[in-house]
Amino acid sequence: MASESFIRENMLRVQENIEKACEISGRDASGVTLIAVSKTKPVELLREAYAAGARDFGENKVQELLDKIPQMPADIRWHMIGHLQRNKVKYIVDKVYMIHSVDSLRLAEEISREAVKRNITVNILVEVNVAQEESKFGAAPGEAESLVSEIAKLPGICVRGLMTIAPFVEDAEENRVYFQKLTQLSVDIMSKNTDNRGMGSVLSMGMTGDYMVAVEEGATCVRVGTGIFGERDYKKES
């Protein structure tokens, strides 16, 4: 099992890399949120990451999120980053800081219904399948603007920005074009929003293998799992 010093060292390395990427692109590193992707990781490791300074954690599955929340400190900001089914919305809508994976108007409408019931406002990101991979969820780039516009009209929802999951590649440079496209899409959508219910400037993009390139291209949230917690040993668990 990873030791606390191992996780602390990994987090320091990731933060240093984020700072380097920000220097290259002339940005302030304080504008980038590091989300520790803790899916499949035991609570002990999350506590070590918390002790090392992590306050934003990302989970893929609703049940795992619900299991972990009561076991962790109350000041954590939980991010739902996996595909979310409409029938699961009611369980997490008032427990997460942000839902990154809103990929349809129907899902947004369900979030809105549950938010109104609880008299809360839910932060969401619209997921865009920039690379248009068949295996991935997300709106097509050409549909993103109209989807944002429709979702922004719903009560109880704040569209904070956009999210994408880039292809898995050996060379992070291959994904630069997708990060550039999401950033440009964000700029285009925000430039057309003249009302106060427009879209925010959050860009959730970049994971362990390509987060430095993502930051260079404008990411404000990077989702790093293996880079913090290490590889998962499936053989040991079986």
Side-chain angles (χ1 to χ4, degrees):
M1 182 160 293
S3 68
E4 186 169 341
S5 62
F6 170 80
I7 287 178
R8 188 178 293 276
E9 284 167 16
N10 282 350
M11 281 195 53
L12 281 171
R13 188 179 304 113
V14 172
Q15 289 286 10
E16 284 169 6
N17 286 339
I18 288 171
E19 285 166 17
K20 281 179 199 165
C22 283
E23 278 175 31
I24 289 168
S25 53
R27 300 176 60 200
D28 188 333
S30 65
V32 181
T33 299
L34 171 58
I35 299 172
V37 176
S38 47
K39 61 177 182 175
T40 77
K41 303 299 176 189
V43 169
E44 307 89 80
L45 294 193
L46 274 69
R47 288 183 181 138
E48 289 172 13
Y50 180 90
R55 290 298 179 271
D56 290 84
F57 287 82
E59 289 287 336
N60 271 47
K61 292 191 162 49
V62 168
Q63 191 54 56
E64 193 173 350
L65 185 67
L66 295 174
D67 289 344
K68 286 174 175 174
I69 288 173
Q71 299 183 68
M72 292 293 289
D75 63 336
I76 286 174
R77 300 198 303 185
W78 294 96
H79 298 256
M80 179 65 193
I81 60 176
H83 181 63
L84 180 59
Q85 294 170 303
R86 295 197 305 281
N87 63 352
K88 301 279 181 71
V89 167
K90 59 185 177 231
Y91 300 115
I92 65 154
V93 75
D94 57 350
K95 294 179 175 64
V96 295
Y97 171 71
M98 194 181 294
I99 299 171
H100 290 231
S101 48
V102 178
D103 57 0
S104 71
L105 182 58
R106 288 179 74 196
L107 174 58
E109 286 169 342
E110 186 60 34
I111 293 168
S112 173
R113 269 193 292 273
E114 293 295 333
V116 169
K117 271 188 207 172
R118 292 166 173 77
N119 195 28
I120 58 173
T121 299
V122 182
N123 294 316
I124 68 115
L125 301 178
V126 170
E127 182 174 359
V128 184
N129 186 354
V130 181
Q132 300 189 61
E133 292 181 280
E134 285 185 12
S135 61
K136 300 257 175 76
F137 293 100
E143 298 167 358
E145 185 183 330
S146 61
L147 182 58
V148 167
S149 178
E150 288 302 308
I151 294 174
K153 296 172 188 170
L154 298 172
I157 284 187
C158 178
V159 185
R160 297 288 303 278
L162 304 175
M163 179 269 234
T164 198
I165 300 172
F168 180 78
V169 292
E170 292 295 324
D171 180 5
E173 280 298 326
E174 292 177 36
N175 281 339
R176 189 179 292 276
V177 63
Y178 302 121
F179 300 142
Q180 288 172 338
K181 282 180 180 175
L182 193 74
T183 300
Q184 189 57 52
L185 188 58
S186 171
V187 170
D188 291 346
I189 293 172
M190 284 194 294
S191 71
K192 291 172 185 172
N193 276 327
T194 53
D195 59 19
N196 292 326
R197 291 186 57 75
M199 184 183 78
S201 57
V202 173
L203 283 172
S204 173
M205 59 187 194
M207 300 191 288
T208 294
D210 55 19
Y211 67 88
M212 288 184 74
V213 173
V215 170
E216 287 174 23
E217 295 302 334
T220 66
C221 291
V222 291
R223 310 178 303 269
V224 180
T226 304
I228 292 172
F229 296 104
E231 295 284 355
R232 187 179 179 200
D233 191 346
Y234 289 94
K235 288 179 186 167
K236 256 184 197 171
E237 293 171 16
S238 58

